[in-house]
Amino acid sequence: MILIDGKEIANQIKAEIAQEVKILREERGRAPHLAAVLVGNDPASETYVANKEKACFEVGMSSSVYKIPADTTEEKLIETIEFINNDTEIDGLIVQLPIPKHISANRVIESILPQKDVDGFHPVNVGRMVIGQPCYLPATPFGISMLLERNKIETSGKNCVIVGRSNIVGTPLSIMLSRNNPLANCTVTLCHSRTKDLAKICKTADILVAAIGQCEMITADYVKKGATVIDVGIHRVADSTRKSGFRLKGDVKFDEVAPLTEYITPVPGGVGPMTIIGLIMNTLKAFKGEIYS
Ligand code: GUN
């Protein structure tokens, strides 16, 4: 069993990005700039946004956070987004999800300029991804693809089973991994809440991606010997022995699954740090005008 060290790979990529940012900053007279919009005060979302901000500073990028009260209206939120859309010194814009239920996430995402949509959630970027045109790849699937690449895990011709069909992870990853390119070419099965015989299907996977959002749902019964297991879940579980009062677990029951695998990502320290790298890479692409010129 080889533990995929997402934190270490993320640090390597951050060092590479920092070098490039340093040169670009001198050429352009300013650094790439990411703006994050945070609606309400969900503690997990606050942590994610703080981590994204920290990563920007670590690679020499600028970052701003627009904090908006949970009882804001959709119109006011979209006004903030339009303000950021029009700021020529901001390259990337994300709205941290989830947002309060009284606001339409679809309308909010559609108000982001596709050129600044470094989360890759806007329908224009999703559509471009589906047909293999230049686009911002959503950060988590992008991060997973980099993890596979940097660990030299072969994807071509492999059976990949993804559990969870969210717009953020499962659905885009299923498309990315089935495309005809050297980092993909998988035969993909996308499983969800209505899938029958889930464990049996998961057991066919050479690469199993757990993106369900259910703590430790993937047990040894779901995993073929020698598989690669990618755990996208993050759950806070109460733990009075920790200063924070909680510890993190994934969608995979790590202790019983790990011995079966060839490669596995831990939680924390697996996919999480790579998601941030995906976002930082997209912000750099936005600054360079690499996707939309
Ligand atoms: N919430 C959970 N994952 C993400 C993400 O990748 N981007 C944003 N904006 N919100 C999220």
Side-chain angles (χ1 to χ4, degrees), residues 40-291:
N41 36 25
D42 171 61
S45 290
E46 281 178 344
T47 305
Y48 296 145
V49 167
N51 287 341
K52 290 170 184 179
E53 207 180 7
K54 182 168 159 259
C56 282
F57 293 129
E58 283 170 356
V59 299
M61 290 186 180
S62 308
S63 161
S64 21
V65 178
Y66 292 73
K67 286 193 177 162
I68 300 187
D71 63 357
T72 191
T73 61
E74 189 172 305
E75 290 69 32
K76 277 196 192 143
L77 178 55
I78 291 177
E79 257 173 43
T80 304
I81 291 166
E82 281 168 356
F83 177 80
I84 302 169
N85 280 343
N86 291 325
D87 186 332
T88 54
E89 303 226 322
I90 295 180
D91 307 287
L93 158 58
I94 63 163
V95 178
Q96 186 63 32
L97 302 176
I99 52 176
K101 297 236 179 322
H102 66 278
I103 301 174
S104 156
N106 283 343
R107 279 196 291 270
V108 166
I109 289 167
E110 284 183 37
S111 74
I112 299 171
L113 262 187
Q115 290 84 342
K116 295 195 181 191
D117 167 43
V118 287
D119 258 332
F121 293 166
H122 191 287
V124 167
N125 281 310
V126 178
R128 283 174 166 236
M129 181 197 61
V130 171
I131 55 174
Q133 285 185 359
C135 64
Y136 298 113
L137 296 172
T140 301
F142 189 12
I144 292 170
S145 170
M146 286 188 276
L147 269 187
L148 295 171
E149 183 186 10
R150 296 249 170 174
N151 283 280
K152 299 194 169 50
I153 296 168
E154 181 63 76
T155 53
S156 186
K158 301 292 180 187
N159 289 333
C160 174
V161 176
I162 300 169
V163 191
R165 58 180 157 185
S166 70
N167 289 348
I168 295 181
V169 184
T171 293
L173 186 64
S174 71
I175 295 161
M176 280 167 61
L177 288 178
S178 56
R179 299 292 307 167
N180 181 2
N181 73 59
L183 299 178
N185 283 320
C186 286
T187 303
V188 176
T189 306
L190 181 58
C191 299
H192 46 75
S193 52
R194 305 290 172 94
T195 297
K196 296 210 164 63
D197 290 331
L198 181 63
K200 195 169 152 202
I201 295 171
C202 289
K203 266 208 150 159
T204 67
D206 301 309
I207 300 172
L208 176 62
V209 181
I212 317 136
Q214 280 202 44
C215 191
E216 295 189 324
M217 198 192 113
I218 301 297
T219 57
D221 296 341
Y222 291 68
V223 180
K224 178 170 81 174
K225 200 165 185 310
T228 290
V229 174
I230 306 291
D231 190 350
V232 182
I234 308 185
H235 309 278
R236 288 180 174 197
V237 178
D239 183 346
S240 57
T241 67
R242 302 276 175 107
K243 209 170 87 186
S244 62
F246 67 86
R247 67 195 160 107
L248 297 176
K249 288 191 172 193
D251 286 352
V252 175
K253 200 160 191 182
F254 185 89
D255 291 346
E256 72 175 60
V257 168
L260 291 171
T261 62
E262 183 171 7
Y263 291 93
I264 186 165
T265 61
V267 177
V271 172
M274 292 303 293
T275 292
I276 296 188
I277 295 299
L279 180 66
I280 298 288
M281 296 268 269
N282 282 343
T283 306
L284 184 58
K285 284 176 198 264
F287 181 73
K288 294 199 288 188
E290 215 172 282
I291 309 291

